[in-house]
Amino acid sequence: MRHDYLDRYSRLDSPLHRLPAGMKLAIALALVLGTVAVPFHVTAFFVAAGAFLVICVLLSGIPLRFVVTRLLMLEPFVAGVALLAFLQPGGGLVAARVLVKSNLCLATMVLLSNTTPFASLLDVLRMLRVPALLITVLSLLYRYVFVLVDQAERMARARRSRTFSTRRSSLWRTGAGIVGQLFITATERAERIYAAMTARGWQ
Amino acid sequence: MHIPDGFLDTKTALATAALSAVSLAAGLRSLEQTLPRRKIPLMGLVAAFVFAAQMVNFPVAGGTSGHLMGGVLTAVLLGPSAGMVVLAAVLIVQCFLFADGGVLALGANILNMGIAGTVGGYAVYRGMARVLRGERGRYVAMALGAWCSSVFASVLCAGELAWSGTVSWDAAFPAMANIHMLIGIGEAVITVLATAFIAASRPDLLARGRSEDAGNELGRRVTFGAVIVIALVLFVSPFASDWPDGLESVAAALGFDRVAVVPPPVPSPMAGYAIPGIGSPAAATVVAGAVGAIVIFAVGFILARIVVPARQSPSGEDATDGTER
């Protein structure tokens, strides 16, 4: 997994990418809030929001196909709850409301995360006086999640290539072993990182 | 279980955001006082660990697979405040980078998984560990705590969906609770096996994690307890007909009972609200929950026998003394 896999389009150069992060965050939040709060029968608002998002995607240079795949990946839970709502008496409108509103919000967030590097979002949070400890945890999480996901994948691959039984109990035991080993190496890595951070003058 | 945007209405989003902000602030303050500096990078790395561990698949049946939520595992390893902050960090990153879980629903997701799931499940674990004693008892308690974390989170989630009028309580509660009673068994098994693995190879990590969350106990407990009780009063008690009277009178005193009598926008029979009885799906789910709790005890006892070798007697007090400190 590459370091910039998750928000891989966030470092493109486009008018949208050049806007300040705080502004984009505010616009995205306002759009999400509007989408949630505006009653569903005000169709004009939802059409306008959809059109605005499509224009933004075109402006940003992010492939439309990427946005659509991301939305489809996130769809299962949305579809499940929409189905639950649909099955109730008179639930058709509720299901449609849930589908439209959720997808607009999802598209907004996909667009935000792919036009704004996570570090800039954290800078905005820091300006908003979010506690420093949480910011530190978030930036370390963002920095090392790729390393640990990579490691988990390597361990799972190693396990698969050495496992010749399909007994579920042994698969669960080795799976839990991967989780346990992952925690141990994360702890050891944290100790090395602390030493490295201190050596470089971290407070 | 990550609630996307568009499922919760504004009042639910605001109420859950306020509740989780209060307990997140309390947890962060408690950590800032008690957490040694050298442990700060560990918090970030453990958050990345939870993220990566959630990607390890466990085969369930028929080609489907499940994964860990990791709340109780983290709380057992680092203490409840750290567990809550770690889960909140994971949820924030999942929201902003993956769009997995909505921004306005972030408060609800942190409340369900980070607070009710992690702190609530951990509280069950600690309470049961005190009753059951011994090394094996600790693992049985851990299984129960992990199972409860999954169930607590799903019940709150159902309550929030119902309070928003997206899905009626009678549809959401059985669907969410029943699925997560099954998922919770997987959560329990993975939590116990992973902890046993760590205990076998680095027992010092477990012992350290448990000793360092002692500071600011009372204030933090009161905050977390209050937040969970308020969440239950708001999102669950208006719908549950057979809830103890105490909470209902609190709800009435605070004026929340009006919320309960306003019919939800979705027309629904609300059978569970009017007639308590096994006939309603909600009541049947409560019965299923009792059965599930018995099942998870059995699972916990079997697991404990597997992971704790027989030479440590089941009620071995010296084994407990070695690990509890």
Side-chain angles (χ1 to χ4, degrees):
Chain A
M1 191 188 229
R2 277 182 46 204
H3 172 256
D4 59 351
Y5 173 76
L6 294 184
D7 50 354
R8 80 182 107 161
Y9 292 110
S10 66
R11 287 165 195 83
L12 295 180
D13 188 34
S14 82
L16 219 57
H17 286 80
R18 266 174 257 135
L19 287 178
M23 189 191 204
K24 278 183 281 193
L25 183 63
I27 294 175
L29 285 181
L31 194 59
V32 169
L33 190 63
T35 310
V36 171
V38 172
F40 190 52
H41 54 79
V42 192
T43 328
F45 175 83
F46 296 98
V47 175
F52 175 71
L53 286 174
V54 171
I55 292 171
C56 284
V57 172
L58 294 178
L59 265 181
S60 68
I62 301 170
L64 198 61
R65 201 164 49 100
F66 170 81
V67 179
V68 173
T69 7
R70 265 293 153 89
L71 283 185
L72 286 179
M73 268 166 56
L74 298 163
E75 212 66 16
F77 187 78
V78 177
V81 173
L83 188 69
L84 258 186
F86 185 73
L87 292 178
Q88 295 170 56
L93 194 66
V94 181
R97 186 189 79 192
V98 164
L99 277 179
V100 169
K101 288 192 170 190
S102 300
N103 279 311
L104 283 177
C105 296
L106 284 179
T108 309
M109 290 312 290
V110 170
L111 204 57
L112 175 70
S113 67
N114 282 290
T115 52
T116 318
F118 192 65
S120 324
L121 284 179
L122 285 184
D123 283 339
V124 177
L125 291 187
R126 194 173 291 130
M127 280 197 312
L128 296 174
R129 302 279 172 92
V130 171
L133 180 59
L134 187 59
I135 303 271
T136 312
V137 172
L138 283 172
S139 42
L140 283 168
L141 166 58
Y142 176 71
R143 169 62 185 82
Y144 284 101
V145 72
F146 310 95
V147 180
L148 265 72
V149 167
D150 243 6
Q151 193 189 354
E153 278 174 2
R154 280 201 304 278
M155 287 161 76
R157 198 187 314 131
R159 181 196 75 180
R160 273 200 306 279
S161 56
R162 286 162 180 77
T163 306
F164 301 104
S165 92
T166 51
R167 276 183 54 222
R168 205 166 292 150
S169 62
S170 77
L171 291 181
W172 278 65
R173 276 197 99 158
T174 46
I178 291 181
V179 171
Q181 186 59 42
L182 209 54
F183 177 79
I184 293 171
T185 48
T187 313
E188 288 163 353
R189 193 185 289 277
E191 281 158 11
R192 292 198 301 275
I193 291 167
Y194 175 71
M197 283 162 75
T198 318
R200 284 157 183 78
W202 181 61
Q203 304 206 341
Chain B
M1 204 190 318
H2 294 57
I3 305 176
D5 281 321
F7 281 52
L8 302 180
D9 60 5
T10 321
K11 71 171 186 309
T12 316
L14 287 179
T16 51
L19 285 174
S20 43
V22 166
S23 36
L24 203 54
L28 283 168
R29 178 161 312 150
S30 143
L31 282 175
E32 269 163 9
Q33 286 165 4
T34 58
L35 194 75
R37 288 206 68 77
R38 63 185 170 80
K39 290 275 169 163
I40 293 175
L42 178 64
M43 298 265 300
L45 264 286
V46 170
F49 151 76
V50 170
F51 205 108
Q54 289 185 348
M55 291 184 158
V56 178
N57 281 318
F58 288 84
V60 180
T64 59
S65 60
H67 71 80
L68 186 71
M69 180 169 86
V72 169
L73 179 61
T74 319
V76 167
L77 294 169
L78 298 183
S81 299
M84 181 189 70
V85 170
V86 160
L87 262 276
V90 169
L91 289 167
I92 290 171
V93 165
Q94 282 173 340
C95 164
F96 281 104
L97 283 182
F98 284 95
D100 193 5
V103 210
L104 291 186
L106 188 59
N109 286 326
I110 292 179
L111 182 69
N112 297 347
M113 287 178 266
I115 296 157
T118 304
V119 180
Y122 181 79
V124 170
Y125 156 70
R126 283 295 290 264
M128 280 320 276
R130 212 159 284 161
V131 175
L132 292 172
R133 297 176 169 269
E135 186 70 359
R136 284 184 178 168
R138 203 159 62 78
Y139 283 111
V140 176
M142 204 180 289
L144 189 73
W147 183 75
C148 284
S149 78
S150 173
V151 175
F152 288 172
S154 70
V155 169
L156 263 190
C157 177
E160 287 151 9
L161 290 177
W163 210 45
S164 305
T166 310
V167 185
S168 79
W169 173 254
D170 278 352
F173 174 56
M176 289 295 290
N178 285 327
I179 292 171
H180 285 88
M181 278 180 218
L182 290 176
I183 292 177
I185 296 177
E187 179 84 16
V189 173
I190 305 170
T191 303
V192 168
L193 289 179
T195 314
F197 182 95
I198 295 165
S201 43
R202 286 287 301 272
D204 55 314
L205 293 183
L206 273 178
R208 252 195 281 161
R210 225 164 294 143
S211 63
E212 269 171 15
D213 208 59
N216 199 11
E217 273 281 287
L218 189 65
R220 202 192 56 212
R221 276 192 194 173
V222 168
T223 315
F224 290 168
V227 163
I228 292 176
V229 166
I230 291 171
L232 285 175
V233 168
L234 275 181
F235 306 122
V236 177
S237 72
F239 307 106
S241 57
D242 40 6
W243 208 259
D245 285 322
L247 280 179
E248 275 178 4
S249 54
V250 173
L254 295 176
F256 291 136
D257 55 337
R258 265 174 289 132
V259 176
V261 276
V262 173
V266 187
S268 77
M270 289 297 275
Y273 190 68
I275 316 138
I278 198 83
S280 79
T285 308
V286 172
V287 174
V291 175
I294 295 169
V295 169
I296 202 66
F297 258 104
V299 170
F301 274 112
I302 296 168
L303 281 175
R305 290 193 72 88
I306 295 174
V307 299
V308 180
R311 59 186 160 73
Q312 295 172 13
S313 62
S315 57
E317 296 301 325
D318 40 5
T320 317
D321 285 355
T323 46
E324 286 300 339
R325 301 271 144 82

